[in-house]
Amino acid sequence: MAQPDDMLDDEDYPAYTMGRAAEILGCSQDFLRRLGDAKLIDPQRSSGGHRRYSRYQLRLAARARELCDQGTDMASACRIIILEDQLEEALRRNERHEQG
């Protein structure tokens, strides 16, 4: 079983409630719900059914908020972020392939 310190260092550990995530990002809880509806982030659910967000998901949401604040509609912002994420992963794979 993972130790508490391991979980805190895990970017994918769902450590943040919706209220805390919204507070950290300076956005509304509705904004986070809409990101889920747009399939950019899929928060885990607590045993009580409450949404829980990871640090990785908060970074994606922060990027979405930045794009939306600049006038990009949410669907386009989500698509941009997904493509950026895919590109970053492809570049990492290429680099590993070239090294090995």
Side-chain angles (χ1 to χ4, degrees):
M1 181 169 185
Q3 297 300 311
D5 287 345
D6 295 336
M7 289 184 277
L8 292 174
D9 289 336
D10 183 355
E11 289 209 336
D12 296 316
Y13 180 71
Y16 302 95
T17 63
M18 177 180 272
R20 182 67 180 131
E23 182 181 322
I24 289 168
L25 297 170
C27 68
S28 68
Q29 293 182 15
D30 184 58
F31 182 80
L32 291 172
R33 281 187 208 95
R34 291 185 352 215
L35 290 177
D37 293 343
K39 307 282 190 251
L40 178 63
I41 55 178
D42 184 21
Q44 290 190 17
R45 299 285 182 141
S46 69
S47 58
H50 300 282
R51 291 172 178 87
R52 305 282 299 190
Y53 296 89
S54 68
R55 287 189 318 203
Y56 174 73
Q57 290 171 326
L58 292 185
R59 275 201 309 282
L60 294 178
R63 177 75 174 123
R65 179 165 185 243
E66 178 183 321
L67 289 169
C68 290
D69 286 350
Q70 293 172 0
T72 306
D73 67 271
M74 183 171 286
S76 297
C78 291
R79 186 66 183 141
I80 289 167
I81 294 164
I82 289 167
L83 290 171
E84 287 174 342
D85 207 40
Q86 289 172 343
L87 175 60
E88 186 177 315
E89 178 59 27
L91 291 172
R92 274 195 302 268
R93 273 190 259 134
N94 284 344
E95 186 175 310
R96 284 193 305 263
H97 178 70
E98 289 173 359
Q99 292 176 353

